[in-house]
Amino acid sequence: MAESSEGLGTVPEHERILQEIESTDTACVGPTLRSVYDDQPNAHKKFMEKLEACIRNHDKEIEKMCNFHHQGFVDAITELLKVRTDAEKLKVQVTDTNRRFQDAGKEVIVHTEDIIRCRIQQRNITTVVEKLQLCLPVLEMYSKLKEQMSAKRYYSALKTMEQLENVYFPWVSQYRFCQLMIENLPKLREDIKEISMSDLKDFLESIRKHSDKIGETAMKQAQHQKTFNVSLQKKNKMKFGKNMYIKHDRIPEEKSEIVLKHSLKEEDENEEEGDEETFENYYRKQRKKQARLVLQPQSNMGYGFPVNRLFDLLFEIRDQYNETLLKKWAGVFRDIFEEDNYSPIPIVNEEEYKIVISKFPFQDPDLEKQSFPKKFPMSQSVPHIYIQVKEFIYASLKFSESLHRSSTEIDDMLRKSTNLLLTRTLSSCLLNLIRKPHIGLTELVQIIINTTHLEQACKYLEDFITNITNISQETVHTTRLYGLSTFKDARHAAEGEIYTKLNQKIDEFVQLADYDWTMSEPDGRASGYLMDLINFLRSIFQVFTHLPGKVAQTACMSACQHLSTSLMQMLLDSELKQISMGAVQQFNLDVIQCELFASSEPVPGFQGDTLQLAFIDLRQLLDLFMVWDWSTYLADYGQPASKYLRVNPNTALTLLEKMKDTSKKNNIFAQFRKNDRDKQKLIETVVKQLRSLVNGMSQHT
């Protein structure tokens, strides 16, 4: 029974092992088989019997399955044998079809390559035609230029050059032949200049040679015109005749002058071409020399009468004339300043930019690189002032030319008159403008910028005078323009006015302060008036970025020092009798905001904590009262390394007495609280020590 029971217990175990062997991976069979040998001694034999029985069962199942599928396998083999013959036929047909396709494709590939080659050639031909159509107008214009040069039509040739440079060359600038043409144009212009100068010399020589005949012809025409006018007067009414006489009774122009007008007209038409200024200066110089030769009396015609007094009178009239001009231009300058908006000139396109540049000589590569819209740094009054100074020079020249003085003397007169305009008239107008009440900080900043650019333009005014008088600036006795000192003085006045107005604005904000000097606890945030003041200073210092660095730094340091002084005066005001510790703490919050503002570098260029030192007196005084470190202050007083070196004993005593009075008022029952009694005694002790220290200082002084 025991063996039977063991056999019954072993069989299910063997079935489980066989199931694991069939279902698990072969790598995990080892531990399963090991469990067979770990059981009873006869378990191995029984397991083998069970395994053989299981194998037989599986063989039977395999046999059944093979018998079931055998007929289908045989049928599939038979069908494959039948298909084999058809597959061989299909293979032959596919091979033949592929061969025929390959043969036909070779011809298609050849034709396709021919088509691609033809398309490329067609595209290249189209490109060449387009480029030739683009180049033909350039070549035609250049051929036209050569024809005009050969026909001596130089004005038309210059116009053609202008069209080539501005219109045609940009189209074909990438081609080498265009570069050769561009390099050849300056030579052609120089040839035209030399030929024109030669023609001008010939013209002037012809005038000199035939001047007697020209004068004779002019006198005959004048006599004929006068006779005609007299006869016309007799036939018409008196009024009509008078008007006609006034209209026609004038000496006709000489033939040379008519020729001159014709020449100048052609020069005006060619105003933007070539070297007009060179020809004009040469023509004026030669005509003046001819005029002196014509007007110079012969030896048998000088009469010996002195004319010095006449010239002295003319010089006095000239001085009066200049004074009249200065008064007139003073009004012109005032009108310009009144109409100015004192903001940078905005420009939105290239045309507006060129208009401003044509009025005022401004050069700034950085501004030229910027994209539109952009702004000139100066305001609208700067080009207007520059133009009016040139108009003044022209007006002064009109009178000086009639004095029959040398070019050097006329140049000297013009420079002296211009210096008077700058140093007296314009300077006075600028100073009056700066001192006007309605001129604010922004306007003052713009005035400083304007004077800087006007000062830089003085060298162009000197060149302008040199050009109209034909006197070299290298002449030893040439008078220089005093624009540097004029505009420098105006800038200094504007800077001083900026400092004054900035301090006035700070005073206006400080007057809005409304401290509760008896508060027991601070509000926990800075006062509103002070935050408004700091925001105002930040915005105004943003405008100062356009000023020279030292001016902006000086204004910022001056503002911080003035604010610190104003806050200190507020604490020490004699009308303020009592200050509580809560008020001191609130005041300390405001000073912290001032220090944060100074440390934020509102104006670049300060080194380290230089700007924060403006509030050092307030900081050390408030630290002394906030920490209540009187023992350290009294012990280290007068030492260079003292923590409270900037605290004046008199200042500390004044503030402490204000706090002592508040402490007495608020501590009516202080005698009943030991801490309050001790604090009151400490304050009184410190007050006595400070008084003795102050008295000692006064006796020593």
Side-chain angles (χ1 to χ4, degrees), residues 231-490:
S231 61
L232 193 63
Q233 282 180 348
K234 296 179 179 179
K235 294 180 180 179
N236 298 306
K237 295 182 179 179
M238 184 62 66
K239 184 176 181 181
F240 180 78
K242 183 178 181 182
N243 292 336
M244 289 299 295
Y245 181 81
I246 294 174
K247 182 176 181 180
H248 294 284
D249 190 16
R250 55 186 177 89
I251 299 175
E253 296 175 333
E254 296 182 2
K255 184 176 180 181
S256 60
E257 293 299 325
I258 296 175
V259 175
L260 171 60
K261 284 191 173 183
H262 179 70
S263 175
L264 291 178
K265 182 178 180 181
E266 290 185 352
E267 291 178 1
D268 291 338
E269 293 175 352
N270 193 22
E271 186 175 4
E272 299 178 358
E273 306 292 338
D275 297 87
E276 177 192 1
E277 187 175 353
T278 302
F279 285 95
E280 184 176 349
N281 292 337
Y282 178 81
Y283 181 83
R284 287 180 175 177
K285 189 180 297 183
Q286 294 300 321
R287 290 296 284 159
K288 285 181 180 179
K289 289 181 178 179
Q290 290 183 357
R292 291 193 186 98
L293 290 175
V294 172
L295 296 175
Q296 184 176 1
Q298 299 179 4
S299 57
N300 57 357
M301 296 175 63
Y303 294 99
F305 295 108
V307 292
N308 293 333
R309 292 184 180 181
L310 179 59
F311 279 109
D312 292 340
L313 176 61
L314 288 176
F315 288 147
E316 290 181 5
I317 296 175
R318 180 204 63 189
D319 295 338
Q320 294 297 324
Y321 176 75
N322 285 336
E323 289 295 329
T324 304
L325 291 180
L326 291 174
K327 292 179 181 178
K328 177 182 177 181
W329 257 261
V332 172
F333 291 150
R334 284 194 295 268
D335 294 340
I336 292 175
F337 290 140
E338 288 295 331
E339 295 172 359
D340 194 9
N341 57 3
Y342 298 99
S343 59
I345 303 174
I347 46 176
V348 297
N349 52 43
E350 185 69 21
E351 183 178 357
E352 293 184 1
Y353 182 85
K354 290 181 178 179
I355 289 175
V356 177
I357 291 297
S358 65
K359 295 179 180 178
F360 182 75
F362 180 83
Q363 296 177 352
D364 187 355
D366 295 334
L367 183 64
E368 292 179 0
K369 296 176 183 177
Q370 295 178 11
S371 58
F372 294 99
K374 51 188 175 183
K375 294 181 178 179
F376 283 97
M378 66 279 189
S379 66
Q380 195 66 46
S381 63
V382 172
H384 290 167
I385 291 293
Y386 183 79
I387 291 173
Q388 287 302 321
V389 172
K390 293 174 67 175
E391 291 295 329
F392 174 86
I393 294 173
Y394 273 129
S396 182
L397 177 65
K398 287 180 180 178
F399 187 90
S400 300
E401 280 184 333
S402 303
L403 297 178
H404 303 291
R405 313 304 293 177
S406 66
S407 299
T408 304
E409 290 176 317
I410 293 177
D411 182 271
D412 190 62
M413 292 178 188
L414 290 181
R415 292 176 183 272
K416 289 180 179 179
S417 301
T418 308
N419 276 329
L420 285 176
L421 180 73
L422 295 177
T423 58
R424 189 203 301 178
T425 307
L426 183 56
S427 176
S428 176
C429 292
L430 279 171
L431 293 177
N432 292 334
L433 173 68
I434 291 169
R435 297 189 182 101
K436 287 187 176 181
H438 69 277
I439 297 296
L441 292 170
T442 305
E443 288 81 2
L444 289 171
V445 171
Q446 189 61 55
I447 289 174
I448 292 177
I449 297 172
N450 290 351
T451 54
T452 301
H453 290 287
L454 286 172
E455 177 184 334
Q456 295 171 355
C458 283
K459 61 180 181 180
Y460 297 100
L461 290 175
E462 289 187 345
D463 295 339
F464 174 73
I465 295 175
T466 301
N467 290 334
I468 63 177
T469 58
N470 296 320
I471 295 297
S472 174
Q473 288 189 354
E474 283 71 24
T475 304
V476 178
H477 61 275
T478 299
T479 305
R480 299 296 179 185
L481 296 183
Y482 302 143
L484 180 64
S485 60
T486 299
F487 298 115
K488 189 174 182 180
D489 293 342

